Amino acid sequence: MKKPILLFALFILVLSAGCKKEQIVPNRTILTTLNSGSWIKLDGGRSYTASINMPEIDNYFNDYGGVLVYVSFETGTYEQIPQVYNGVSYSYLTRSGQIVIEIQSSDGLAVVTPPGSVKVKIVLVESI
């Protein structure tokens, strides 16, 4: 009687050990540059936006994935946004196919000058 129970327990142990499923999904990093002509003036110059085409962000990824955005104003240094740099507030939003970076003065009232060429690092974090 003990032998069938022992065999059954061993079978269940082997079966459950084989069910462990581990899936590693790597993040994707995309480097791009926003040129000075990429910025669109809004609110009489109190804010600007610039769009980055991102076909990697579809509706599913936009709902369930994660997006991190960094900007570089000098070589080798990236700062994650949202961020305030030299009195200018940087933020971003994502939608299917696009990342939109927005800038405005840190107090929201003053007129800002968009930056020159800015390097942008985008990290796409998959979620399963």
Side-chain angles (χ1 to χ4, degrees):
M1 182 74 173
K2 290 183 183 180
K3 191 173 186 177
I5 292 174
L6 184 60
L7 287 174
F8 180 73
L10 185 59
F11 173 76
I12 294 298
L13 181 65
V14 169
L15 185 64
S16 65
C19 290
K20 185 177 180 184
K21 192 176 189 180
E22 197 170 312
Q23 186 175 6
I24 299 173
V25 179
N27 300 332
R28 289 180 283 171
T29 301
I30 298 162
L31 299 173
T32 189
T33 301
L34 284 175
N35 296 314
S36 58
S38 301
W39 298 97
I40 299 170
K41 184 187 336 186
L42 303 172
D43 302 327
R46 290 196 312 258
S47 63
Y48 287 81
T49 64
S51 297
I52 300 170
N53 289 329
M54 290 296 301
E56 296 86 352
I57 301 176
D58 58 12
N59 287 331
Y60 182 84
F61 187 90
N62 200 39
D63 288 341
Y64 297 103
V67 179
L68 303 171
V69 179
Y70 303 81
V71 292
S72 177
F73 303 101
E74 56 186 68
T75 303
T77 303
Y78 284 93
E79 298 186 38
Q80 187 173 11
I81 56 178
Q83 175 71 259
V84 175
Y85 183 80
N86 286 338
V88 178
S89 172
Y90 290 78
S91 60
Y92 71 97
L93 60 91
T94 64
R95 58 181 132 211
S96 184
Q98 229 178 20
I99 293 176
V100 179
I101 297 179
E102 302 173 334
I103 64 170
Q104 65 179 9
S105 69
S106 57
D107 66 6
L109 302 172
V111 173
V112 295
T113 301
S117 182
V118 176
K119 291 183 182 178
V120 180
K121 176 169 55 174
I122 300 157
V123 180
L124 302 175
V125 182
E126 295 279 343
S127 180
I128 52 172

